[in-house]
Amino acid sequence: MATTAPPEGLPVSRPTYADVTRDIVATLGNPGRIYYGLLAFVITILLIGFGALLYQIKVGLGVAGYTPPVMWGVYITTFVFWVGIAHSGTLISAILFLFRSAWRTAVYRTAEAMTVFAVMTAGLFPLIHVGRLWYAYWLIPYPNQRMLWVNFKSPLVWDLFAIGTYFTVSTCFLIVGLIPDVAAVRDKATGWRKKLYTITSLNWRGTDQQWRHYTRAYLYLAALATPLVLSVHSVVSWDFAMGIVPGWHATIFAPYFVAGAIYSGVAMVVTLLVPLRRVFKLERYITTDHFENLSKLLLLTGMIVAYAYATEYFIAWYSGNTFEQASFWNRAFGDYWWATWTMIICNGFLPFFLWFKKIRRCIPALFVLSLFVNLGMWFERFVIIVVSLSFEYEPYAMGHYTPSWVEWAIMAGSFAWFFMWFLLFAKNFPTVSIAEVKEIIPMPRKKA
Amino acid sequence: MGKEMDRRRFLKVLGVTSGGAAAVGCSTGTPEKLVPYLVPPENQIPGVATYYASTCRECPAGCGVHVRVREGRAVKVEGNPGSPFNGGKLCARGQASLQGLYNPDRLRGPMARGADGGLAPISWDDAYARIVERLGSTAGDRVAFVTGNESGTFDRLVNAWLTALGSQGRLVFEPFGYEALRYANQQVFGVDALPSYRFAEARYVLSFGSDFLETWINPVQNTREFAEAHSVTEEGMGRYVHIEPRMSMSGINADEWIAPNTGTEAVLALAIANVVLADHGGNAPSDVFRVRQLLEQYDPESAAGVCGVPAETIRRLAAEFSENSSLAIAGGMGNQHDQAHAAAAAVGILNYVAGNVGRTVVFGSDPDPGAGSTYRGLADLTQRMRDGGVDVLFVHGANPAYNAPSGLGFGEALGQVDLTVSFARVLDETAAHADLILPDHDPLEQWNDFEPRAGTYLLQQPVMQPVFDTRQTGDVLLALAGQLGASVAGRFSAQTYKEYLQAAWRTRQNQLGGRGVAFDDFWAASQQAGGVYQPEPTRAQRLDRNVGGLTFSSWSGIAGSGDLTLMAYPSSVFYDGRGASRPWLQELPDPVSKITWGSWVEIHPETAAEHGIVDGDFVEVTSAHGTAVAPAFLYPGIRRDVIAMPLGQGHSELGRYAQDRGANVYNLLSSEPTEFGGLSHYQAVSIRATGEHEVLASPAGRSRQMGRGIAQSTTYEHVEAGDAHPFHVEHAAEVPEAIEQVLDEWQAAQDRERAIGNYAGDHPRWGLAIDLSRCTGCSACVTACYSENNIPVVGKLGVQRGREMSWLRIERYFEGGEGDEPLTVEILPMMCQQCGHAPCEPVCPVFAAYHTSDGLNGQIYNRCVGTRYCSNNCPYKVRYFNWWDHSDENSAAHSFPEPLHLQLNPDVTVRDKGVMEKCTFCVQRIRGKQNQAVLEDREIADGEIMTACQQGCPADAITFGDLNDPNSAVSRLSQSDLGYRVLDGLNTDPGVTYLMRVRHTVEE
Amino acid sequence: MTGKVLPVAKGIVALALVGVVLYATFHAVQAQQTQTPPERFIAPVDVDTAGLPGPVQPIFYRHDVHAGQYEMDCLYCHYAAEVSSSPGLPSLDACMGCHLLVGGGNPEVAKLREAVNEGRPVEWVEVHKLPPFVHFPHMRHVLSDAEIECQDCHGEIERMPQVYQFASLKMGWCLECHETEEATTDCTACHY
Amino acid sequence: MRATPGGILAAYRHVDAASEAIVALKHSGYENFTVYSPAPNEELFEAVDHPVSPVRLWTLFGGLTGLVTGYAMTMWMSYDYPTVVGGKPVGSVIPYIVIMFELTILFGALATLAGLAFHAWRSNRRAPFDGRFSDDHIGIFVPCPVERRPAVEQILTAAGATEVMVETG
């Protein structure tokens, strides 16, 4: 590869291998006061959320704002939100890897870390939301004296397997990717960090044999992760699509959710990269080109999402199913019109700005946009879940749900949980892949 | 789970009361105590229910009950099939009598007012001493005794006792005294009595505001007979026209609702009578000449002007009335304005000229829910008290301080009485002013009898040991008599009230010609039957000689202070307010407004719009006599110039469930007795929005069906024409033959794949058929379900957040009612439909929701993890989640405070926090009968298993059975042309078939 | 000469004696083996409650004496087992039916009489507990075609001085039997 | 780590130099030398020219195992305690496909990881290492007895090693 012309995504001011190692190792320097301040802040929020959870477990789910028939609320909404976030990571590291798009190298580590932490966050919510979380382990098919098994027809069991697999695979992926970098850091580090990295690098030395197996393994992991990415959110979407609820029971859900997931995931990557790049002074490696590429992804998925919205309404009308029609009418003009319109504006209209190269290359604009997309995607799930449930078949049994402080606290806690992990990661492991960045930099040759 | 706590505490209680009872069921609690009987009560086997026949005393109707007793505690009250009144059925209030017995606010022993003015416990002996001492120094005529309707031995005991004291001061006070009706009969027929109304024979019912399906005389009997006579048969269908400014629950069940100008029923009735006599006088008895002249003054045209009812309608009604075996009724408490007697008299004449007297209106058995009570009597007594004419006052089974207008000032007048003795079971408004409270036994703990009408002698027997240190008032009176010196004591041979009662029944046995039979046998037989039922005595009734001289005037109408008319109508749930202390009844949605745990003001949407009022806005209602504040309920079923409020709420006492809840509407009424000696329930009022607002505590999400055909109805015309034109939600396209075949084969293959393990072989499929033409929406089934299935009450906030747990709910939908189009109200009982292809089942990850081999949606509480996915996926929304720990006494949501936990059905698990629950067709009853059948080595007969809702339903609207048995009643009903299944288009294959409601409408 | 004969004679006599003794003992042993009547269970006289398995009861009622030694039928006391889901506990006057006459000297019986005289119920400690969400119909099992003995679930109760929980009473334990006996394994057979 | 075998360790800054050296080494019959590089590099791989890694077989077998497990588990568990839900057959394959798929991926991935660990460990020869090799230098270590060292050193330097060290074993 090194012999070919400099590929896209190549750092502008041709850094040498040595520069790469130096610059990226530099990000692992001892953290400053701001870092610890941030960490303290998120941990406080996390503790508040945890307190709220304990309160809910003690007193009962009644402390949440559930109003039948809305039996799923903020928790499941946030669950789907985080699962969605988790998607861009593996997309960038696996799918783009298979597509050999070189620009991924600078950003994929961040995305992948984000993926793992997002799944870790998402995984908490099904537990938080069930009525008797002390029995949640009954969803696992383990041999028990009751001779009972689980219902493999239930989408929730599918979820268990999908999320579990996704978490395992993306974690493997992250760790495998880290090994050579940790080795590189090891050889620069001193003191306790030296010990840490010596252990975590698993005695990696970059021999021809190691590279031989490593590259292959990485390729197949990517090959496996690719269908997985697409499957996970499809399965999550089937939690709804398998339901009989008007506004849920639609075949479009799987692609619709996957697109939305990648959309929100990429947005979150942008949200994280912009400050990261600034703080760690990585402008040399994460360039405006990278952001433009990301925003192209945003644009693509955003257009798919917008199309999906349109389709939903069209089908509701075209199907002639009065329940569907009523449900969608209620979305747009019912009690929850504000949620629906937030979602449509943030996800359906704002991405159109990305048609303009100016905006694609304007990092502050992208940052703001990404925040809106995150917001919009949360509301998309809120609308799909809460609004559909509040307006089902039985007019007599319709209701209106407003979340309680407990739900907000736990949701805030989930964000804190996510950022805590990310902060810890960013300071202790290379957030840009050393080896892969080097891979796309041509090595010096004696014959120029 | 919660039951463990419940049982341990239960044993503690019985440990002190009945010396312990054998424990059944088991629990994970440690260490658990098993307490055996000291001496086993006869015919009680632990784990096997015993039934005791008794009589319901929740209202004066006198329905027979069977009380289900397990391990020495009453766990359910059911109708006595042998009773001529309720024939095995029971209304919500009757079902809830259990919560009178176990009410946590029951007085636990005698109380006396101390020097500090507070009530403190006192020993029975000291209490007796105080009374004896005071009576000793009082002239008899300064002693007064107020009771409710006690037509029976106790009634005679009280009189005898007073006579012994030399007192005439007996007063019966029943707030629903039917004074107008009795007064009118005095005028028209010359008898101060009530006839009995034969709804069974009446194919045409014309109700002038009588809520005969709710509180009027004997609602359960009325409902039974009406539902039967009104239903579709070969001869045709009954018809019912309701005439009232407001569409009450009874009105909802009418085929036609007419709202004449307020208070003009008399004129309308006379006009109809006029036409009947003039055009269809055939059936009229000979002496109608007495009224002919009177009636001629009321020609339809002029009447139309007064009533606002078109003359042709009057003529039509008259024609219909005379063509059918008809019955006109009036004198409901809801229509008791100050000319109610006129209306009642007019209706009496109408019945007479139509020849109904002696046919559907029969004099002779003289039922009297009021037991001769008049409001004027209370007013006079109050005056005497105020003038210091009463030294000692006894109050039993009446609460005048609550259900008389505050203007009367009964409470204050009590201050003028030296010694007020109350026998209240729960501290009510009157008892709160008393000096001594000697709590009576609950009716379910008593020996007593009751004579709701001539020829019917009902027995009450204690079904369990008294829960608290209470004494039956009869015993108290006899004990006092014993201490009051020879003059009094001499008159009573009996030591205990039971002896007194049996003595009375000895004489009765002789009267009834029961000589020859040993008394004990007679007694035992009566006990088992719940009483002695003689055929109703009848007597021919002729018009009073002076009837022609009667003058009729309509209600004086709006007087002064307001532009709207307030109707204070009786609550079908709380009756006159005595039911308000029962949590089941508080949480039972009102059949019309569907509001729970409070009062409301019914306002027509247009009137509300004029005042800028929306649902839930607090409205201040001001009359000349007081004000009341309650949230507004916009109801298209009421005249624009009328607002209505239910009686029964707004207690200042009566325990935790009733206290400070809603508004006491009595305080808006005039305390002046009317001409007929009653209380006028109509008032001129003005309204004002206070600016506050609340979410109505009502489970009704939307009041309109949005054309979804949940509750479907048709007209008799269509039924006759043979097309019930079932409502189609789905407009599914024709499926081609080939596809059909493929689908069938596929279905067959699927079925084969299912028929393994427990599912192999033949099984029943349990199903329900619900006839909406019979269902009146009375909600007895709902309370029955609460009682049978240990359903917790969630309180007002819970209902406001839609978290009520009622497994069975009565849905109420409005149709039309906008502008001039007529309003119809659809009623539909909705419980788990036990779908064959249940959407709730496959989504449960742990098989907590699954399909049983006999076609039920099993719900395994102890397996449930609480994902609530099943509820999301249930199109009928009949799954209920335990948001709190209702069974934990330390939880704020605790629903069974001691001793209410004694009501819990030991056959049903008390559900835990975080668990989904729902109707399973009373699976505990099914399994019970199946076990029994296996032991007796026989098949289960059709109709042997009854769900609790079916058993309670006064209208017999619900039928349960095996759908796989082609001959079962339920299968046959499910095949009916009127049958439909809710949301059939979803292919859920429900096990519940509804029979469309048929309305007998007519074209103008 | 005789001097020589005597020892021989002695020898013979001695042998004879030994033979007789041996023969006798042999027969005696045989006799013992054949003649003893079939052994009858005698409940051990005094057992210390604390040392025994199972909870200590307010009165040291001994199933091994009643059901074992005196071979009383279980249904004599647990009278409801064949008709009800609950086996039923004997009322105290059922106990007194016998103990008015017998067992006067026994201190435990004294406790019983005291309780009866005071009209105070005895609070037995429950041994075989099922969770409240399990409904176990005793009659269906006592009278089932599977011919289940009380002992199958409660153990050799007639040999227990103090009752202890014999079977696990866990759902798996129930199911094993239900599957072998081909009884229903439908959830709502027990859970409702 | 045990004492490394003696030999020559050379460091290269230029990738083409390193590849030349490798080619030369192989040409003169050296096989079991070790090449270090900070990043995977096609040119080096061509020079070294290893056969394709067997890790892919692990992936394949892992995946297949997952698929079979998924099918066997769902079906067996369904029929072990037959429970009907929603009027569906007790064991209905279509919904179970999801489980099978997920297990395929899961087992595949884990097997791949195991394969990587296994082979990387097996092929991990003991050889001296220098921190530069994870930074910006390519390293070649040729284990050889003392008498052959000058020759090897000659080859490596000729190719343009920035530094050649003699490692005494």
Side-chain angles (χ1 to χ4, degrees), chain B residues 328-607:
Chain B
I329 52 178
M333 300 310 296
N335 269 39
Q336 188 162 297
H337 46 70
D338 58 17
Q339 293 302 318
H341 60 295
V347 168
I349 295 171
L350 170 58
N351 274 324
Y352 196 80
V353 296
N356 292 342
V357 175
R359 209 167 68 228
T360 53
V361 180
V362 180
F363 284 85
S365 63
D366 301 339
D368 186 357
S373 140
T374 64
Y375 171 71
R376 180 176 284 118
L378 181 70
D380 298 347
L381 173 68
T382 316
Q383 194 50 49
R384 264 182 68 208
M385 287 156 61
R386 210 181 276 104
D387 306 344
V390 177
D391 288 348
V392 184
L393 175 68
F394 297 89
V395 184
H396 177 278
N399 185 10
Y402 167 78
N403 39 29
S406 52
L408 183 65
F410 183 83
E412 297 72 64
L414 280 173
Q416 308 298 319
V417 179
D418 261 19
L419 179 69
T420 309
V421 182
S422 165
F423 299 98
R425 300 195 296 272
V426 174
L427 188 76
D428 60 28
E429 285 78 356
T430 312
H433 292 88
D435 307 295
L436 265 181
I437 308 177
L438 309 179
D440 189 8
H441 279 344
D442 186 87
L444 294 176
E445 301 165 332
Q446 289 180 353
W447 283 107
N448 209 345
D449 64 358
F450 189 61
E451 297 172 28
R453 68 179 184 202
T456 309
Y457 312 98
L458 307 174
L459 255 185
Q460 283 169 256
Q461 57 177 327
V463 301
M464 68 183 281
Q465 300 283 342
V467 181
F468 295 118
D469 178 21
T470 56
R471 287 191 190 177
Q472 184 161 1
T473 307
D475 288 319
V476 173
L477 295 184
L478 289 168
L480 288 172
Q483 301 178 20
L484 279 167
S487 63
V488 181
R491 294 165 175 259
F492 301 99
S493 55
Q495 292 307 309
T496 67
Y497 181 67
K498 186 183 178 186
E499 291 172 20
Y500 191 86
L501 185 67
Q502 283 180 320
W505 277 68
R506 281 205 169 75
T507 39
R508 169 157 306 136
Q509 182 186 10
N510 300 336
Q511 291 162 3
L512 302 175
R515 289 201 186 72
V517 186
F519 174 72
D520 290 349
D521 303 345
F522 170 72
W523 180 250
S526 317
Q527 241 176 303
Q528 276 172 12
V532 176
Y533 315 107
Q534 297 281 320
E536 274 184 68
T538 62
R539 70 168 175 273
Q541 195 64 51
R542 295 244 161 241
L543 285 174
D544 184 72
R545 180 169 295 99
N546 312 325
V547 63
L550 288 179
T551 56
F552 293 85
S553 50
S554 326
W555 176 51
S556 44
I558 304 300
S561 72
D563 51 355
L564 287 171
T565 305
L566 169 75
M567 275 182 70
Y569 67 93
S571 160
S572 71
V573 176
F574 303 121
Y575 198 66
D576 60 4
R578 63 185 73 175
S581 61
R582 321 273 203 259
W584 283 342
L585 296 181
Q586 283 284 0
E587 190 138 316
L588 180 65
D590 176 88
V592 176
S593 72
K594 290 292 154 193
I595 295 172
T596 63
W597 294 101
S599 302
W600 62 91
V601 186
E602 283 173 17
I603 310 178
H604 191 281
E606 290 178 18
T607 318

Side-chain angles (χ1 to χ4, degrees), chain B residues 194-205:
Chain B
L194 299 187
S196 60
Y197 297 90
R198 304 257 171 102
F199 287 90
E201 274 96 73
R203 294 287 279 173
Y204 186 88
V205 177

Side-chain angles (χ1 to χ4, degrees), chain A residues 57-58 61-62 64 66-68 71-72 129 131-132 138 151 154 239 243-245 391-396 398, chain B residues 594 701-702 708 801-803 809 811 813 842-845 862 864-869 872-873 877 883 913:
Chain A
I57 293 170
K58 173 90 182 59
L61 269 175
Y66 291 109
T67 309
M71 291 288 190
W72 287 0
H129 129 104
R132 302 203 291 177
W138 282 352
N151 177 7
S154 166
D239 286 351
I244 197 169
V245 180
F391 198 89
E392 276 193 59
Y393 294 95
E394 270 271 311
Y396 187 85
M398 291 175 177
Chain B
K594 290 292 154 193
R702 292 266 198 290
R708 294 184 174 188
R801 294 170 98 184
R803 293 174 178 179
R809 59 174 189 254
E811 301 193 346
Y813 293 112
V843 297
C844 176
N862 45 309
C864 178
V865 175
T867 68
R868 307 192 289 294
Y869 199 171
N872 287 346
N873 226 28
K877 289 286 163 274
W883 301 103
K913 174 178 69 181

Side-chain angles (χ1 to χ4, degrees), chain A residues 1-3 17-18 21 141 146-149 151-153 157-158 161-162 164-165 168-169 172 176 183-184 186-188 203-217 220-221 224 227-228 231-232 235 238 435 438-439 443-447, chain D residues 13-17 20 34-40 42-43 45 48 50-54 56 59 73-74 76-77 80-81 85 89-90 92 95-96 98-99 101-103 105-106 108-109 112-113 116 119-120 123-125 127 129 131 134-136 138 159:
Chain A
M1 185 190 278
T3 48
Y17 275 30
T21 324
R146 296 184 295 283
M147 304 184 184
L148 293 173
W149 301 111
N151 177 7
F152 290 108
K153 300 183 187 88
V157 175
W158 305 350
F161 280 80
T165 308
T168 323
V169 171
C172 297
V176 171
R186 170 196 62 198
D187 300 331
K188 296 280 176 226
N203 186 30
W204 176 270
R205 294 183 303 160
T207 67
D208 51 346
Q209 289 288 353
Q210 285 175 326
W211 281 122
R212 168 189 170 211
H213 301 300
Y214 180 90
T215 43
R216 272 288 147 181
Y220 286 111
L221 278 180
L224 286 171
L228 183 61
S231 81
V232 171
V235 170
W238 293 335
K438 285 177 180 171
E439 194 177 351
M443 250 189 130
R445 318 174 63 79
K446 55 184 183 189
K447 314 189 190 71
Chain D
R13 175 176 300 283
H14 301 113
V15 61
D16 48 355
E20 274 177 29
T34 311
V35 182
Y36 303 99
S37 62
E42 284 301 319
E43 202 171 348
F45 290 171
V48 177
H50 280 304
V52 181
S53 158
R56 50 183 182 172
T59 317
M73 180 179 76
T74 48
W76 180 77
M77 286 180 180
D80 181 46
Y81 197 133
V85 289
V90 168
S92 37
Y96 299 169
V98 177
I99 310 289
F101 171 83
E102 297 297 343
L103 287 189
I105 303 286
L106 182 63
T112 314
L113 207 61
L116 170 61
H119 290 291
S123 61
N124 192 3
R125 298 204 200 80
F129 178 71
S134 66
D135 182 2
D136 61 344
I138 298 166

